[in-house]
Amino acid sequence: MHINSSTARQLDIELPSPIQAFTPDWAGAEHVSIHIKRDDLIHPVVSGNKWRKLSAVFSDTTSLPREIVSFGGGYSNHLHALGYCCNKLKIPMTALVRGDYTKQPTPMLNDLTRWGVSIQYVTKLEYNRRHEDDYLNALRQTYPAATIIPEGGSQQLALSGVQQILCETPQEFDIVISPVASGATLAGLITALRPEQRAIGIAVLKGVGYLESLVEQFLPEDDRRDWCIEHHFHHGGYAKSSESLTAFIQTTQAQYQLPLEPVYSGKLFYALKTLIADNYFTKGTKILVLHTGGLQSARNALCSNR
Ligand SMILES: *Cc1c(COP(=O)(O)O)cnc(C)c1O
């Protein structure tokens, strides 16, 4: 339903995203088949999975939100995608940003300013209250006309847009693999699986147990579908990197013309390569890799002090 929404057309979002066969010369890769779902290509500005998660918010052109308030860090792909959409659709938006970047705004924040988004810097203490009822009620009083969208765009409503990714994937696959941070993308994929298929999330932050609980909050009770999260590939934590990750990204981009950034897609492909070398997948497994986009954050050469 969202796939051909006129809002997506108005924003020049190109769906369905392409699917590419990927045949790297990695150890063990000859035993599996890999396809990449290139959601990084749906739009030059609006990041792949962030549009998918927002698409339901904008699906009904006759009742678009009158105003939007949302949350994120100084490099947030979500605020970036949302800010662009609000600018194009002429919806007033307020971004509550964690920390104070007044003196040194990031490229992402400069884009928001250019797009007319009102930026409010909030302390980390206040930001931590973003899911609390009291806090949200106070926000509703301050912004009575606004639709409040959670961090990362991750809410129940976000799942239907993510499910579309698998609906537009005619290729047979056994496993779909994607990065996971706030959980809604993986949850959307899980809920679109067929019984014999499996979803694997690659944790981009330290969160054994925590990330699983984030995903589970979006799943129907007693959901029996097969999924797991692999926790060995965060390289020190959210937006942290390692020498091996940096080197991997450089080689892989150059060798396969595949754009990667260190926060999400770099960790995803690094994990894929390692898991294949470790014989994690049985012979003949058909793997679908979701490239979730997020390349705007690669404009920040230094990304270790977020
Ligand atoms: C936000 C983001 C993710 C993580 O998605 P969640 O739904 O928060 O788990 C993955 N990749 C990119 C590029 C992102 O911007």
Side-chain angles (χ1 to χ4, degrees), residues 47 49-50 53 77 154 179-186 261 264 292-294:
S47 181
N49 73 330
K50 295 304 185 284
K53 291 196 278 183
N77 289 330
S154 289
V180 49
S182 66
T185 302
L186 186 60
E261 44 67 52
Y264 299 102
T292 44

